[in-house]
Amino acid sequence: MAIISASILHDFLECPHRVTMDALGAARLKDPVSPFMQLLWDQGTSVEKQCVESLGTPFLDLSPLRGEQKEVQTRSAIQRGEALIYGGRLSDAELLGEPDLLRREGTGYVAIDIKSGPAELPGSDDDAEAKPKKAYGVQLALYTDLLERAGASSGRYGYIRDVHGKEVRYEFDAPLGPRSASIAIAYRELKAAAARALDRESATRPALSAACRLCVWKSNCLRELRAEGDLTLLPRVGRAKRDALVGAFPTVEWLASADLSRYAKSKKPPFPGISAPMLVRLQVRARLAVATNPAPFFREAVQLPTNPHEVFFDIEDDPMRGLVYLHGFVVRTHGDPSDERLVSVFAEHATEQGERDAFAAAWSFLSRHADHIVYYYSKHERTKYRALQAKYPRVCSAADVEALFSPRRSYDLYDDAVAKSEWPTLDWSIKSLATFLGFRWRDSDPSGAASIEWFDHWVRTHDAATKQRILDYNEDDCRAMRVLLDAMRSMPQNPG
Ligand code: SF4
């Protein structure tokens, strides 16, 4: 019988195949753990340590213990009614849980997990209330299941303590969202599905997604997906769409050559979550993927700006420290590459003051170039600038930030152009598109995740070469946007 732990539930939610591979995959097929992943683990350990040190209340520390000894001591601490237990362990039949904290509340105990990210998901524009994170909720539900089995539960709730020391209560019987089931139901379903996969009662399949980026099975899964012509190799076709389509169109080639006329008049989506027009669009994407000399094109009319004064803008931020540490600008006039220049505003201190000073300098640069159009890629820069403005309101006003990201001043190359086009690439990231266009980053490992790890290294060492590596990477990101814009100017529109 498979043993289900909190980390298995967390991983299963991200990718069921990862759970299978971690349990049953051959170690020789694994990629090395990336330095960024290692940093995330170290960060998790350090946040937990800081959180425990700041509890300000006595607790029983069982963290040095392992296995059976840890479990025996946890159960006897619960029997004695210890107020707070750190690093305990409970198991029963198919379940194993190691909650960070168990706190006595009322007549029983409640589980508290310490996380190095925010405790909740931010609310969307329409519904501003923050929402519980399913991955956190199901982990707390597992610990509570174990407490219930031990006859020691305070009730069907738990707490997440986040990186800022904020403690958020998770109710297991409340729905996760307006159209979602409760944490309790999600937990039951996930636990059963993970057990079926681990007991080999149901097979899992890889699916290319954002979760693959940092996964140790990436090379192996990509080989498998390519060999099978898996539909997730198409941009924006994830596991759910692939699973909906795979019965009718098992491979990319199959979809590319399929006769879709029988679906054309369908008023109802012919496949769950896939309308008839979307199916046609996916076939176009599949045809591009199997073409011998594929060329990108716009699906719909796109008017690219023509301002002779251009700024290509990209920021780098460290989500672990909660800091934006670099604002990069590549400036070009009249499309002349020889006139191109880079302006980098780097936070010389990894502190709020350092972040504020860099933001103020970047804002000053943007204000002095008010006649330039600002190109950026997706909503990240806007989101971060709104947050920076709220944090440092003396630098600029909220209206100033909205004006900067308004269509009169800026252009989102992703949302306004790429999202209306088709590319023979695995995804629509700036890395994939600019690489397809022949652009090469100077770094051998260019990624946002890697740059966060380099920044962490720079903060600890102030190594000049590491700082230069970050600046070069950011500059190349900006130049990649320029390459993309120039290529899109001659891209055909809706060639049928
Ligand atoms: S590489 Fe992707 S598909 Fe493969 S196990 Fe990892 S997350 Fe899953």
Side-chain angles (χ1 to χ4, degrees), residues 352-367:
E352 292 209 338
Q353 186 62 44
E355 181 187 53
R356 189 217 158 274
D357 291 349
F359 179 45
W363 191 262
S364 163
F365 167 84
L366 286 163
S367 304

Side-chain angles (χ1 to χ4, degrees), residues 91-171:
S91 64
D92 184 66
E94 83 289 12
L95 291 188
L96 168 64
E98 299 199 345
D100 292 328
L101 293 163
L102 290 171
R103 185 164 67 204
R104 202 179 65 223
E105 284 193 6
T107 56
Y109 280 84
V110 64
I112 304 168
D113 234 11
I114 301 165
K115 299 293 185 190
S116 52
E120 296 172 288
L121 292 170
S124 64
D125 285 349
D126 307 323
D127 169 13
E129 260 188 44
K131 293 189 181 72
K133 292 182 175 175
K134 189 173 179 181
Y136 291 177
V138 295
Q139 290 178 287
L140 287 173
L142 180 140
Y143 302 140
T144 309
D145 190 352
L146 282 162
L147 285 168
E148 283 172 353
R149 293 182 193 201
S153 166
S154 299
R156 296 167 68 74
Y157 66 97
Y159 295 98
I160 295 293
R161 258 182 103 92
D162 74 9
V163 63
H164 309 298
K166 184 175 157 199
E167 199 171 281
V168 173
R169 181 169 164 139
Y170 273 51
E171 298 287 351

Side-chain angles (χ1 to χ4, degrees), residues 15 17-18 21 205-209 211-212 215-218 221 225 239:
C15 172
H17 195 58
R18 183 186 295 175
M21 292 303 286
R205 297 184 61 181
L208 198 61
S209 73
C212 301
C215 180
V216 289
W217 303 105
K218 184 174 178 187
C221 286
L225 291 167
R239 183 179 298 277

